[in-house]
Every structure is written in structure tokens, then in C-alpha cells.
Amino acid sequence: MNANLARAVTAAGMLLAATAVGMIDTSSNTASAITPRPCGFYPLNPPQGEQTGGYVHCGDGFILIKFHWSTGTTGASCIPPYSSRPFFRDGAHKVVNAYYVTTRPNLTGPPGNQMCSTYQPRA
């Protein structure tokens, strides 16, 4: 393919892609739903349905996070590598913070195919 034809095809492709992106209707809720989340805890204000926040893990190992409810109670959750965990409303209560703790999570499965165990240690 000659250089002029390659440039023309590339320009046409870019024009079609730009047109398609411009045709996507994004309300503020939709735009926030597709925006990549930063690593760690994030609150959703306003909530998206019943989801009030979440935690994004940007590392390559399993971790344990501790989370705090608005009632003052806490919980722990195992997060797989490069994964996220949504937090949902429980009646009037919601998770207000979550963070990494150094306690090792309980894993199950053979090496190379491990996953989070159902039961996790208290953090």
C-alpha cells in the first residue's frame, strides 16, 4: 500500500471513530459510570442505584481490605489482583471508608489458580 493511500485510510478511520464517539449520549450518571476509578476507596455521590461506593485494587497480588459502615461496624474483604469490589446500601447504612491492611487474606485453590476463600480473617 502506498503512503498516500495509507494516510487516506487512516484519516477516514479517525473521522469515523470521532463521529461514533460524538454520537454516544452520555448523561452525568453514564459518564461517571464509565470513568475509570482511581486505586483505593471511592464514594459515589450521588449513589448509582443501590451502589454507594467501591474499592479498586491496582496491584498484582491478593489483598485484604477493611471497611467501615456508617453504623461504626467494620468488615474485611479479600480483593483479587487488578479487581474491584462494589459497596451497596444496607437500608439507611452505607460503607464510608475502606483501606488496605497488612493481614494476609485466606486463599483457596491450587497454586496458579487461587481465589479468595469464603472466610477471611478479622482485620
Side-chain angles (χ1 to χ4, degrees), residues 21-35:
V21 168
M23 293 175 68
I24 296 173
D25 179 28
T26 58
S27 66
S28 62
N29 287 341
T30 306
S32 66
I34 61 175
T35 303

Side-chain angles (χ1 to χ4, degrees), residues 5 11 14 17 19 21 24 27 29 34 38-39 42 50 52-53 63-64 74-75 80 83 93-94 98 104-105 111 113:
L5 181 58
M14 290 174 66
T19 303
V21 168
I24 296 173
S27 66
N29 287 341
I34 61 175
C39 300
Y42 62 91
E50 294 294 306
T52 59
I63 64 167
L64 191 69
T74 63
S83 238
H93 308 293
K94 65 180 186 173
R104 293 184 59 134
N113 193 22

Side-chain angles (χ1 to χ4, degrees), residues 15 23-24 33 49 64 68 85 90 109:
L15 178 63
M23 293 175 68
I24 296 173
L64 191 69
H68 295 264
R85 173 163 186 325
D90 183 16

Side-chain angles (χ1 to χ4, degrees), residues 17 22 27 30 33 35 43 50-51 53-54 61 65 68 71-73 83-84 90-91 105 108 112 116-117 123:
S27 66
T30 306
T35 303
E50 294 294 306
Q51 185 178 356
I65 62 167
H68 295 264
T71 59
T73 58
S83 238
S84 63
D90 183 16
T108 185
C116 293
S117 177

